[in-house]
Amino acid sequence: VQLQASGGGLVQPGGSLRLSCAAAARTLTVGWFRQAPGKDREFVAAIRGSGGSTHYTDSVKGRFTISRDNAKNTVYLQMNSLKPEDTAVYYCAAGRPILSSLTMPSVYNYWGQGTLVTVSS
């Protein structure tokens, strides 16, 4: 499985971006993580391969939406109302974590290369 993340860029506060994670097989859980300079990689959102339930970290609830297009084997992260603190390199990852481990980077087997999101005026 070779994941390819794309869609990052420079956006003003309050703006929107949609990230894509290609080659994410429908049977796998896909998570989005982000890493800001000098900080640890943190969980953002995940969509499970079985059942398609979605999960978000509190700071993005109501602003970000994760979804998948199984016909295209692609997972999307729609990011609205972006804030400067959302600035980071965003990574998509895939695997079969159990529900209680969704937020842990170590349980994902496959990773994309990362795409930079910069929120600045």
Side-chain angles (χ1 to χ4, degrees):
V1 177
Q2 290 189 320
L3 304 177
Q4 185 168 7
S6 62
L10 173 64
V11 63
Q12 292 186 341
S16 298
L17 281 174
R18 188 178 77 160
L19 304 183
S20 299
C21 180
R26 68 186 68 185
T27 59
L28 297 177
T29 291
V30 174
W32 283 98
F33 293 79
R34 65 187 180 187
Q35 188 165 20
K39 295 188 176 181
D40 292 335
R41 191 167 297 189
E42 67 169 349
F43 171 79
V44 176
I47 184 165
R48 300 196 73 193
S50 57
S53 62
T54 57
H55 308 267
Y56 301 91
T57 192
D58 286 346
S59 63
V60 308
K61 285 180 180 177
R63 300 189 299 123
F64 291 12
T65 302
I66 189 170
S67 62
R68 71 194 310 158
D69 183 335
N70 288 331
K72 297 181 178 180
N73 278 352
T74 300
V75 170
Y76 303 99
L77 184 68
Q78 177 67 43
M79 306 187 296
N80 299 328
S81 301
L82 282 161
K83 305 175 181 180
E85 51 263 43
D86 295 317
T87 295
V89 177
Y90 283 70
Y91 299 88
C92 63
R96 294 185 173 86
I98 59 175
L99 183 58
S100 61
S101 301
L102 279 178
T103 64
M104 299 170 59
S106 61
V107 303
Y108 290 82
N109 305 103
Y110 311 102
W111 288 83
Q113 80 284 9
T115 184
L116 176 63
V117 172
T118 303
V119 184
S120 175
S121 55

